Amino acid sequence: MVDALGVAVVGFGWMGRVHTQAYARVAHHFPELPLRPELVTVAEEVPGRAEEAAAQFGFASTTRDWRDVAADPRVRAVSVTAPNFLHREIGVAMAEAGKHIWIEKPVGLTAEDARAVADAVVKAGVQGAVGFNYRNAPAVEAARELIASGGIGRVTHARVRLFSDYAAHPEGALTWRYERERGGSGVLGDLASHGADLARFLLGDIASLAADTAVFLPERARPAGATAGHSRATGGELGAVENEDYVNCLLRFTSGARGVLEACRVSVGEQNNYGFEVHGTEGAVFWDFRRMNELGVSRGTGYQDQPVSTVYVGPGDGEFGAFQPGAANAMGYDDLKVIEAYRFLRSVAEGVPYGATLADAVRSATVLDAMARSAEDRAWVTVDAPV
């Protein structure tokens, strides 16, 4: 028996579109799922954008006000893909209205914001999933299993990198992303949040850190109208970029391992250069998002001059088998969000969390807050234990 689940999307920029497409595809890849999402309504304040979404994807209704979604009895689950500064208010309201929520990272502007949403989800007894999509890559899950099994020995050190050029153009519009009040901590929330989650997912909790941040493009032009994605603006009034373009962070894990996390949104020549290298006493494992379905693996007791092999993930690694029949067949970014949708809907169906949760969002945000404190104080800081 397959039950219908009324879903809504709040905020229909690029990420709202990605969530909607994931809902549309999830039953094709996971036919055993006992819930089928039905697109009930889409909320978007930009005039005409919700109507365009309804026409393209088949939402039954539209609204300019997300509060209508909270009050709609047809809606049982909500994707929150609005800008960061709205995450807390919308997330708490949806949970209090009894809606399950799939919310994009970083879940607000601070760890306090993320914790408020997490607490609301627990109090309401609903499920809450978070958009840490890179951990859903089958190769990342295979790397985690390899590390946990001792396949590379005891982990000694690791590096997590997230370099991109989406904000590198000097004509990039001064959108909410660059304002402290609405965008929060810049590249920390946008990219380093993924890095903090990947580091924890692979290696466990972070005990302490030391961070340095920088703004490399200090001014941008204000846009003349509504923007989507990373739009450009020329000739407008210049305003200050208030949050970070770059962060570099030294990590100490509770296991004793050391790490480096580096993220930048203005890296000319880099397009989605996201990945990690994890080194152990008997080997290493390497992953590059741009070659998402491969791992570089070095194992054995050769130590010096030990070779690295390319391993192609396949059925049996994570959710790969739901998309491709054999190793070395490519998956893409949108497939990771389909996996995320599946795990969210499975959580709703079974009442047990699968995938990244609001607790993971709180832990990631706690690391980001510690990075901000460290950069301001120019000192090592202890990462607060999750509560």
Side-chain angles (χ1 to χ4, degrees):
M1 181 68 178
V2 177
D3 294 328
L5 182 78
V7 301
V9 176
V10 176
F12 206 82
W14 171 68
M15 188 53 69
R17 181 178 296 271
V18 172
H19 276 231
T20 302
Q21 291 170 170
Y23 285 132
R25 293 178 53 199
V26 67
H28 298 288
H29 295 281
F30 299 97
E32 74 281 7
L33 189 65
L35 293 175
R36 291 293 183 271
E38 291 188 355
L39 300 177
V40 171
T41 190
V42 54
E44 172 55 63
E45 66 178 8
V46 176
R49 192 178 284 175
E51 288 74 18
E52 291 175 5
Q56 182 174 2
F57 294 102
F59 287 96
S61 60
T62 66
T63 180
R64 295 273 301 275
D65 190 343
W66 61 262
R67 294 167 185 82
D68 294 338
V69 175
D72 193 333
R74 300 172 300 167
V75 175
R76 294 174 56 199
V78 180
S79 279
V80 181
T81 54
N84 297 353
F85 67 97
L86 295 172
H87 286 184
R88 177 174 181 165
E89 183 181 11
I90 296 174
V92 169
M94 295 303 171
E96 290 178 345
K99 320 292 188 186
H100 306 284
I101 61 172
W102 175 15
I103 186 168
E104 274 306 310
K105 58 82 205 170
V107 190
L109 306 182
T110 64
E112 181 183 353
D113 286 350
R115 191 172 291 110
V117 180
D119 290 346
V121 164
V122 171
K123 185 176 180 180
V126 296
Q127 295 297 316
V130 179
F132 289 129
N133 41 265
Y134 299 110
R135 65 154 62 189
N136 298 326
V140 173
E141 295 189 303
R144 186 186 194 220
E145 292 181 7
L146 176 67
I147 294 165
S149 70
I152 62 171
R154 176 177 54 83
V155 172
T156 54
H157 63 283
R159 184 169 76 104
V160 180
R161 70 185 186 281
L162 299 105
F163 298 144
S164 188
D165 64 356
Y166 65 80
H169 202 290
E171 294 179 358
L174 188 69
T175 65
W176 60 268
R177 293 182 181 276
Y178 304 102
E179 299 175 358
R180 183 72 64 182
E181 184 177 346
R182 298 195 296 164
S185 56
V187 76
L188 270 69
D190 201 14
L191 293 180
S193 59
H194 282 299
D197 181 68
L198 279 175
R200 284 192 56 259
F201 185 69
L202 294 168
L203 304 177
D205 284 330
I206 297 165
S208 60
L209 55 81
D212 182 39
T213 62
V215 178
F216 296 135
L217 293 176
E219 290 186 323
R220 296 179 182 272
R222 300 186 186 280
T227 61
H230 304 287
S231 305
R232 295 184 189 177
T234 58
E237 177 188 358
L238 292 178
V241 172
E242 298 174 351
N243 52 31
E244 307 84 354
D245 288 329
Y246 170 83
V247 61
N248 181 36
C249 187
L250 299 177
L251 308 171
R252 291 175 179 167
F253 292 87
T254 56
S255 67
R258 299 300 196 262
V260 176
L261 191 161
E262 192 175 12
C264 185
R265 64 189 180 188
V266 296
S267 297
V268 175
E270 301 279 15
Q271 297 87 40
N272 299 321
N273 181 358
Y274 308 153
F276 56 76
E277 303 98 45
V278 180
H279 297 267
T281 54
E282 297 176 6
V285 60
F286 310 89
W287 180 71
D288 187 325
F289 170 65
R290 298 165 300 179
R291 305 179 71 164
M292 192 178 81
N293 306 290
E294 303 177 17
L295 283 177
V297 178
S298 179
R299 300 180 64 183
T301 56
Y303 302 107
Q304 187 176 4
D305 299 327
Q306 185 163 287
V308 177
S309 300
T310 298
V311 177
Y312 298 100
V313 295
D317 295 312
E319 306 293 350
F320 186 93
F323 297 86
Q324 299 295 347
N329 286 287
M331 291 175 59
Y333 174 89
D334 283 12
D335 296 330
L336 302 183
K337 302 307 277 192
V338 175
I339 294 171
E340 211 164 272
Y342 162 65
R343 290 175 175 169
F344 171 51
L345 295 171
R346 186 180 176 189
S347 299
V348 173
E350 299 181 19
V352 177
Y354 293 93
T357 66
L358 269 300
D360 293 308
V362 172
R363 290 183 174 92
S364 173
T366 300
V367 172
L368 301 184
D369 282 4
M371 287 183 190
R373 292 200 313 273
S374 174
E376 183 176 357
D377 296 343
R378 299 181 179 272
W380 280 89
V381 300
T382 299
V383 177
D384 295 336
V387 294

PDB file of all heavy atoms in Angstrom, residues 325-355:
ATOM      1  N   PRO A 325      23.467   0.315 -12.909  1.00  0.00           N
ATOM      2  CA  PRO A 325      23.552  -1.140 -12.741  1.00  0.00           C
ATOM      3  C   PRO A 325      24.944  -1.669 -12.460  1.00  0.00           C
ATOM      4  O   PRO A 325      25.087  -2.817 -12.031  1.00  0.00           O
ATOM      5  CB  PRO A 325      23.049  -1.659 -14.089  1.00  0.00           C
ATOM      6  CG  PRO A 325      23.475  -0.602 -15.062  1.00  0.00           C
ATOM      7  CD  PRO A 325      23.324   0.702 -14.321  1.00  0.00           C
ATOM      8  N   GLY A 326      25.985  -0.868 -12.742  1.00  0.00           N
ATOM      9  CA  GLY A 326      27.330  -1.386 -12.571  1.00  0.00           C
ATOM     10  C   GLY A 326      28.324  -0.280 -12.298  1.00  0.00           C
ATOM     11  O   GLY A 326      28.063   0.904 -12.558  1.00  0.00           O
ATOM     12  N   ALA A 327      29.474  -0.672 -11.753  1.00  0.00           N
ATOM     13  CA  ALA A 327      30.505   0.284 -11.391  1.00  0.00           C
ATOM     14  C   ALA A 327      30.953   1.094 -12.599  1.00  0.00           C
ATOM     15  O   ALA A 327      30.902   0.629 -13.746  1.00  0.00           O
ATOM     16  CB  ALA A 327      31.704  -0.450 -10.781  1.00  0.00           C
ATOM     17  N   ALA A 328      31.384   2.336 -12.319  1.00  0.00           N
ATOM     18  CA  ALA A 328      31.928   3.279 -13.311  1.00  0.00           C
ATOM     19  C   ALA A 328      30.856   3.940 -14.166  1.00  0.00           C
ATOM     20  O   ALA A 328      31.177   4.723 -15.051  1.00  0.00           O
ATOM     21  CB  ALA A 328      32.992   2.638 -14.194  1.00  0.00           C
ATOM     22  N   ASN A 329      29.576   3.640 -13.935  1.00  0.00           N
ATOM     23  CA  ASN A 329      28.497   4.430 -14.532  1.00  0.00           C
ATOM     24  C   ASN A 329      28.300   5.670 -13.667  1.00  0.00           C
ATOM     25  O   ASN A 329      28.211   5.580 -12.442  1.00  0.00           O
ATOM     26  CB  ASN A 329      27.190   3.629 -14.586  1.00  0.00           C
ATOM     27  CG  ASN A 329      27.223   2.575 -15.659  1.00  0.00           C
ATOM     28  OD1 ASN A 329      27.138   2.866 -16.838  1.00  0.00           O
ATOM     29  ND2 ASN A 329      27.367   1.317 -15.237  1.00  0.00           N
ATOM     30  N   ALA A 330      28.227   6.817 -14.304  1.00  0.00           N
ATOM     31  CA  ALA A 330      28.260   8.072 -13.552  1.00  0.00           C
ATOM     32  C   ALA A 330      26.934   8.405 -12.889  1.00  0.00           C
ATOM     33  O   ALA A 330      25.865   8.149 -13.443  1.00  0.00           O
ATOM     34  CB  ALA A 330      28.673   9.221 -14.473  1.00  0.00           C
ATOM     35  N   MET A 331      27.026   8.985 -11.691  1.00  0.00           N
ATOM     36  CA  MET A 331      25.925   9.671 -11.032  1.00  0.00           C
ATOM     37  C   MET A 331      26.267  11.147 -10.987  1.00  0.00           C
ATOM     38  O   MET A 331      27.413  11.541 -11.201  1.00  0.00           O
ATOM     39  CB  MET A 331      25.722   9.149  -9.610  1.00  0.00           C
ATOM     40  CG  MET A 331      25.203   7.738  -9.503  1.00  0.00           C
ATOM     41  SD  MET A 331      25.149   7.169  -7.768  1.00  0.00           S
ATOM     42  CE  MET A 331      24.045   8.388  -7.024  1.00  0.00           C
ATOM     43  N   GLY A 332      25.267  11.996 -10.698  1.00  0.00           N
ATOM     44  CA  GLY A 332      25.482  13.433 -10.668  1.00  0.00           C
ATOM     45  C   GLY A 332      24.953  14.075  -9.405  1.00  0.00           C
ATOM     46  O   GLY A 332      24.382  13.416  -8.530  1.00  0.00           O
ATOM     47  N   TYR A 333      25.125  15.397  -9.327  1.00  0.00           N
ATOM     48  CA  TYR A 333      24.731  16.159  -8.141  1.00  0.00           C
ATOM     49  C   TYR A 333      23.253  15.956  -7.803  1.00  0.00           C
ATOM     50  O   TYR A 333      22.898  15.703  -6.649  1.00  0.00           O
ATOM     51  CB  TYR A 333      25.010  17.653  -8.364  1.00  0.00           C
ATOM     52  CG  TYR A 333      24.496  18.535  -7.247  1.00  0.00           C
ATOM     53  CD1 TYR A 333      25.291  18.817  -6.139  1.00  0.00           C
ATOM     54  CD2 TYR A 333      23.204  19.072  -7.285  1.00  0.00           C
ATOM     55  CE1 TYR A 333      24.822  19.604  -5.098  1.00  0.00           C
ATOM     56  CE2 TYR A 333      22.725  19.859  -6.251  1.00  0.00           C
ATOM     57  CZ  TYR A 333      23.541  20.123  -5.161  1.00  0.00           C
ATOM     58  OH  TYR A 333      23.066  20.887  -4.139  1.00  0.00           O
ATOM     59  N   ASP A 334      22.369  16.089  -8.781  1.00  0.00           N
ATOM     60  CA  ASP A 334      20.941  15.988  -8.510  1.00  0.00           C
ATOM     61  C   ASP A 334      20.575  14.625  -7.938  1.00  0.00           C
ATOM     62  O   ASP A 334      19.606  14.507  -7.173  1.00  0.00           O
ATOM     63  CB  ASP A 334      20.135  16.259  -9.768  1.00  0.00           C
ATOM     64  CG  ASP A 334      20.059  17.734 -10.117  1.00  0.00           C
ATOM     65  OD1 ASP A 334      20.815  18.523  -9.506  1.00  0.00           O
ATOM     66  OD2 ASP A 334      19.264  18.098 -10.999  1.00  0.00           O
ATOM     67  N   ASP A 335      21.335  13.586  -8.294  1.00  0.00           N
ATOM     68  CA  ASP A 335      21.074  12.266  -7.730  1.00  0.00           C
ATOM     69  C   ASP A 335      21.281  12.257  -6.219  1.00  0.00           C
ATOM     70  O   ASP A 335      20.595  11.529  -5.498  1.00  0.00           O
ATOM     71  CB  ASP A 335      21.985  11.223  -8.376  1.00  0.00           C
ATOM     72  CG  ASP A 335      21.724  11.051  -9.864  1.00  0.00           C
ATOM     73  OD1 ASP A 335      20.576  11.254 -10.288  1.00  0.00           O
ATOM     74  OD2 ASP A 335      22.677  10.722 -10.601  1.00  0.00           O
ATOM     75  N   LEU A 336      22.220  13.057  -5.738  1.00  0.00           N
ATOM     76  CA  LEU A 336      22.456  13.121  -4.296  1.00  0.00           C
ATOM     77  C   LEU A 336      21.241  13.688  -3.572  1.00  0.00           C
ATOM     78  O   LEU A 336      20.929  13.287  -2.448  1.00  0.00           O
ATOM     79  CB  LEU A 336      23.691  13.978  -3.988  1.00  0.00           C
ATOM     80  CG  LEU A 336      25.004  13.536  -4.626  1.00  0.00           C
ATOM     81  CD1 LEU A 336      26.144  14.432  -4.168  1.00  0.00           C
ATOM     82  CD2 LEU A 336      25.307  12.073  -4.321  1.00  0.00           C
ATOM     83  N   LYS A 337      20.546  14.633  -4.222  1.00  0.00           N
ATOM     84  CA  LYS A 337      19.343  15.197  -3.599  1.00  0.00           C
ATOM     85  C   LYS A 337      18.170  14.215  -3.684  1.00  0.00           C
ATOM     86  O   LYS A 337      17.286  14.221  -2.823  1.00  0.00           O
ATOM     87  CB  LYS A 337      18.973  16.526  -4.262  1.00  0.00           C
ATOM     88  CG  LYS A 337      20.068  17.584  -4.204  1.00  0.00           C
ATOM     89  CD  LYS A 337      20.582  17.838  -2.794  1.00  0.00           C
ATOM     90  CE  LYS A 337      19.703  18.804  -2.009  1.00  0.00           C
ATOM     91  NZ  LYS A 337      20.377  19.245  -0.755  1.00  0.00           N
ATOM     92  N   VAL A 338      18.151  13.355  -4.692  1.00  0.00           N
ATOM     93  CA  VAL A 338      17.133  12.300  -4.742  1.00  0.00           C
ATOM     94  C   VAL A 338      17.343  11.333  -3.580  1.00  0.00           C
ATOM     95  O   VAL A 338      16.386  10.909  -2.919  1.00  0.00           O
ATOM     96  CB  VAL A 338      17.169  11.558  -6.092  1.00  0.00           C
ATOM     97  CG1 VAL A 338      16.190  10.383  -6.090  1.00  0.00           C
ATOM     98  CG2 VAL A 338      16.828  12.503  -7.241  1.00  0.00           C
ATOM     99  N   ILE A 339      18.605  10.987  -3.312  1.00  0.00           N
ATOM    100  CA  ILE A 339      18.914  10.143  -2.159  1.00  0.00           C
ATOM    101  C   ILE A 339      18.444  10.832  -0.875  1.00  0.00           C
ATOM    102  O   ILE A 339      17.852  10.197   0.010  1.00  0.00           O
ATOM    103  CB  ILE A 339      20.425   9.841  -2.092  1.00  0.00           C
ATOM    104  CG1 ILE A 339      20.841   8.981  -3.277  1.00  0.00           C
ATOM    105  CG2 ILE A 339      20.780   9.161  -0.767  1.00  0.00           C
ATOM    106  CD1 ILE A 339      22.345   8.817  -3.416  1.00  0.00           C
ATOM    107  N   GLU A 340      18.696  12.117  -0.787  1.00  0.00           N
ATOM    108  CA  GLU A 340      18.287  12.890   0.390  1.00  0.00           C
ATOM    109  C   GLU A 340      16.767  12.866   0.547  1.00  0.00           C
ATOM    110  O   GLU A 340      16.239  12.696   1.664  1.00  0.00           O
ATOM    111  CB  GLU A 340      18.778  14.322   0.222  1.00  0.00           C
ATOM    112  CG  GLU A 340      19.110  15.047   1.500  1.00  0.00           C
ATOM    113  CD  GLU A 340      19.941  16.276   1.192  1.00  0.00           C
ATOM    114  OE1 GLU A 340      21.169  16.168   1.121  1.00  0.00           O
ATOM    115  OE2 GLU A 340      19.344  17.344   0.985  1.00  0.00           O
ATOM    116  N   ALA A 341      16.056  13.046  -0.560  1.00  0.00           N
ATOM    117  CA  ALA A 341      14.592  12.988  -0.519  1.00  0.00           C
ATOM    118  C   ALA A 341      14.117  11.614  -0.065  1.00  0.00           C
ATOM    119  O   ALA A 341      13.187  11.501   0.756  1.00  0.00           O
ATOM    120  CB  ALA A 341      14.014  13.326  -1.888  1.00  0.00           C
ATOM    121  N   TYR A 342      14.747  10.580  -0.595  1.00  0.00           N
ATOM    122  CA  TYR A 342      14.372   9.217  -0.209  1.00  0.00           C
ATOM    123  C   TYR A 342      14.550   8.995   1.287  1.00  0.00           C
ATOM    124  O   TYR A 342      13.648   8.472   1.964  1.00  0.00           O
ATOM    125  CB  TYR A 342      15.216   8.222  -0.997  1.00  0.00           C
ATOM    126  CG  TYR A 342      15.246   6.827  -0.406  1.00  0.00           C
ATOM    127  CD1 TYR A 342      14.086   6.045  -0.338  1.00  0.00           C
ATOM    128  CD2 TYR A 342      16.438   6.297   0.113  1.00  0.00           C
ATOM    129  CE1 TYR A 342      14.123   4.772   0.219  1.00  0.00           C
ATOM    130  CE2 TYR A 342      16.466   5.027   0.664  1.00  0.00           C
ATOM    131  CZ  TYR A 342      15.316   4.271   0.717  1.00  0.00           C
ATOM    132  OH  TYR A 342      15.343   3.006   1.268  1.00  0.00           O
ATOM    133  N   ARG A 343      15.673   9.415   1.819  1.00  0.00           N
ATOM    134  CA  ARG A 343      15.926   9.195   3.237  1.00  0.00           C
ATOM    135  C   ARG A 343      14.994  10.037   4.108  1.00  0.00           C
ATOM    136  O   ARG A 343      14.559   9.584   5.178  1.00  0.00           O
ATOM    137  CB  ARG A 343      17.401   9.461   3.543  1.00  0.00           C
ATOM    138  CG  ARG A 343      18.296   8.390   2.927  1.00  0.00           C
ATOM    139  CD  ARG A 343      19.770   8.638   3.081  1.00  0.00           C
ATOM    140  NE  ARG A 343      20.514   7.491   2.572  1.00  0.00           N
ATOM    141  CZ  ARG A 343      21.831   7.467   2.367  1.00  0.00           C
ATOM    142  NH1 ARG A 343      22.566   8.541   2.641  1.00  0.00           N
ATOM    143  NH2 ARG A 343      22.419   6.377   1.903  1.00  0.00           N
ATOM    144  N   PHE A 344      14.687  11.225   3.655  1.00  0.00           N
ATOM    145  CA  PHE A 344      13.714  12.059   4.378  1.00  0.00           C
ATOM    146  C   PHE A 344      12.349  11.384   4.396  1.00  0.00           C
ATOM    147  O   PHE A 344      11.711  11.245   5.461  1.00  0.00           O
ATOM    148  CB  PHE A 344      13.631  13.433   3.713  1.00  0.00           C
ATOM    149  CG  PHE A 344      12.520  14.316   4.217  1.00  0.00           C
ATOM    150  CD1 PHE A 344      12.345  14.551   5.569  1.00  0.00           C
ATOM    151  CD2 PHE A 344      11.654  14.938   3.312  1.00  0.00           C
ATOM    152  CE1 PHE A 344      11.317  15.375   6.026  1.00  0.00           C
ATOM    153  CE2 PHE A 344      10.640  15.760   3.760  1.00  0.00           C
ATOM    154  CZ  PHE A 344      10.459  15.976   5.120  1.00  0.00           C
ATOM    155  N   LEU A 345      11.882  10.941   3.246  1.00  0.00           N
ATOM    156  CA  LEU A 345      10.560  10.321   3.165  1.00  0.00           C
ATOM    157  C   LEU A 345      10.521   8.993   3.911  1.00  0.00           C
ATOM    158  O   LEU A 345       9.505   8.641   4.526  1.00  0.00           O
ATOM    159  CB  LEU A 345      10.164  10.130   1.704  1.00  0.00           C
ATOM    160  CG  LEU A 345       9.971  11.430   0.911  1.00  0.00           C
ATOM    161  CD1 LEU A 345       9.809  11.133  -0.579  1.00  0.00           C
ATOM    162  CD2 LEU A 345       8.791  12.238   1.422  1.00  0.00           C
ATOM    163  N   ARG A 346      11.608   8.259   3.876  1.00  0.00           N
ATOM    164  CA  ARG A 346      11.676   7.019   4.648  1.00  0.00           C
ATOM    165  C   ARG A 346      11.590   7.322   6.136  1.00  0.00           C
ATOM    166  O   ARG A 346      10.941   6.589   6.898  1.00  0.00           O
ATOM    167  CB  ARG A 346      12.967   6.269   4.319  1.00  0.00           C
ATOM    168  CG  ARG A 346      13.056   4.900   4.979  1.00  0.00           C
ATOM    169  CD  ARG A 346      14.351   4.189   4.636  1.00  0.00           C
ATOM    170  NE  ARG A 346      14.430   2.925   5.356  1.00  0.00           N
ATOM    171  CZ  ARG A 346      15.516   2.155   5.404  1.00  0.00           C
ATOM    172  NH1 ARG A 346      16.622   2.526   4.742  1.00  0.00           N
ATOM    173  NH2 ARG A 346      15.507   1.030   6.082  1.00  0.00           N
ATOM    174  N   SER A 347      12.235   8.401   6.566  1.00  0.00           N
ATOM    175  CA  SER A 347      12.153   8.807   7.967  1.00  0.00           C
ATOM    176  C   SER A 347      10.716   9.099   8.364  1.00  0.00           C
ATOM    177  O   SER A 347      10.260   8.714   9.447  1.00  0.00           O
ATOM    178  CB  SER A 347      13.018  10.047   8.207  1.00  0.00           C
ATOM    179  OG  SER A 347      14.376   9.801   7.931  1.00  0.00           O
ATOM    180  N   VAL A 348      10.001   9.801   7.474  1.00  0.00           N
ATOM    181  CA  VAL A 348       8.600  10.119   7.741  1.00  0.00           C
ATOM    182  C   VAL A 348       7.775   8.838   7.819  1.00  0.00           C
ATOM    183  O   VAL A 348       6.931   8.669   8.721  1.00  0.00           O
ATOM    184  CB  VAL A 348       8.046  11.052   6.652  1.00  0.00           C
ATOM    185  CG1 VAL A 348       6.536  11.246   6.819  1.00  0.00           C
ATOM    186  CG2 VAL A 348       8.762  12.403   6.688  1.00  0.00           C
ATOM    187  N   ALA A 349       8.012   7.919   6.884  1.00  0.00           N
ATOM    188  CA  ALA A 349       7.227   6.682   6.828  1.00  0.00           C
ATOM    189  C   ALA A 349       7.452   5.799   8.042  1.00  0.00           C
ATOM    190  O   ALA A 349       6.511   5.184   8.568  1.00  0.00           O
ATOM    191  CB  ALA A 349       7.562   5.918   5.549  1.00  0.00           C
ATOM    192  N   GLU A 350       8.696   5.706   8.518  1.00  0.00           N
ATOM    193  CA  GLU A 350       9.044   4.761   9.572  1.00  0.00           C
ATOM    194  C   GLU A 350       9.159   5.403  10.950  1.00  0.00           C
ATOM    195  O   GLU A 350       9.251   4.692  11.962  1.00  0.00           O
ATOM    196  CB  GLU A 350      10.348   4.049   9.220  1.00  0.00           C
ATOM    197  CG  GLU A 350      10.267   3.252   7.925  1.00  0.00           C
ATOM    198  CD  GLU A 350      11.564   2.531   7.593  1.00  0.00           C
ATOM    199  OE1 GLU A 350      12.401   2.348   8.504  1.00  0.00           O
ATOM    200  OE2 GLU A 350      11.749   2.151   6.421  1.00  0.00           O
ATOM    201  N   GLY A 351       9.198   6.751  10.982  1.00  0.00           N
ATOM    202  CA  GLY A 351       9.339   7.430  12.262  1.00  0.00           C
ATOM    203  C   GLY A 351      10.713   7.305  12.878  1.00  0.00           C
ATOM    204  O   GLY A 351      10.897   7.540  14.079  1.00  0.00           O
ATOM    205  N   VAL A 352      11.700   6.960  12.053  1.00  0.00           N
ATOM    206  CA  VAL A 352      13.085   6.798  12.494  1.00  0.00           C
ATOM    207  C   VAL A 352      13.970   7.613  11.562  1.00  0.00           C
ATOM    208  O   VAL A 352      13.828   7.518  10.335  1.00  0.00           O
ATOM    209  CB  VAL A 352      13.525   5.317  12.449  1.00  0.00           C
ATOM    210  CG1 VAL A 352      14.987   5.176  12.848  1.00  0.00           C
ATOM    211  CG2 VAL A 352      12.642   4.472  13.343  1.00  0.00           C
ATOM    212  N   PRO A 353      14.892   8.433  12.074  1.00  0.00           N
ATOM    213  CA  PRO A 353      15.689   9.279  11.188  1.00  0.00           C
ATOM    214  C   PRO A 353      16.688   8.495  10.340  1.00  0.00           C
ATOM    215  O   PRO A 353      17.361   7.594  10.842  1.00  0.00           O
ATOM    216  CB  PRO A 353      16.408  10.224  12.148  1.00  0.00           C
ATOM    217  CG  PRO A 353      16.440   9.498  13.450  1.00  0.00           C
ATOM    218  CD  PRO A 353      15.189   8.686  13.496  1.00  0.00           C
ATOM    219  N   TYR A 354      16.755   8.851   9.068  1.00  0.00           N
ATOM    220  CA  TYR A 354      17.766   8.335   8.150  1.00  0.00           C
ATOM    221  C   TYR A 354      18.463   9.529   7.508  1.00  0.00           C
ATOM    222  O   TYR A 354      17.826  10.516   7.177  1.00  0.00           O
ATOM    223  CB  TYR A 354      17.134   7.459   7.062  1.00  0.00           C
ATOM    224  CG  TYR A 354      16.548   6.169   7.567  1.00  0.00           C
ATOM    225  CD1 TYR A 354      15.203   6.086   7.918  1.00  0.00           C
ATOM    226  CD2 TYR A 354      17.340   5.034   7.702  1.00  0.00           C
ATOM    227  CE1 TYR A 354      14.662   4.891   8.389  1.00  0.00           C
ATOM    228  CE2 TYR A 354      16.804   3.838   8.172  1.00  0.00           C
ATOM    229  CZ  TYR A 354      15.459   3.778   8.508  1.00  0.00           C
ATOM    230  OH  TYR A 354      14.932   2.602   8.973  1.00  0.00           O
ATOM    231  N   GLY A 355      19.766   9.410   7.316  1.00  0.00           N
ATOM    232  CA  GLY A 355      20.498  10.503   6.695  1.00  0.00           C
ATOM    233  C   GLY A 355      20.806  11.613   7.677  1.00  0.00           C
ATOM    234  O   GLY A 355      20.692  11.466   8.898  1.00  0.00           O
TER     235      GLY A 355
END
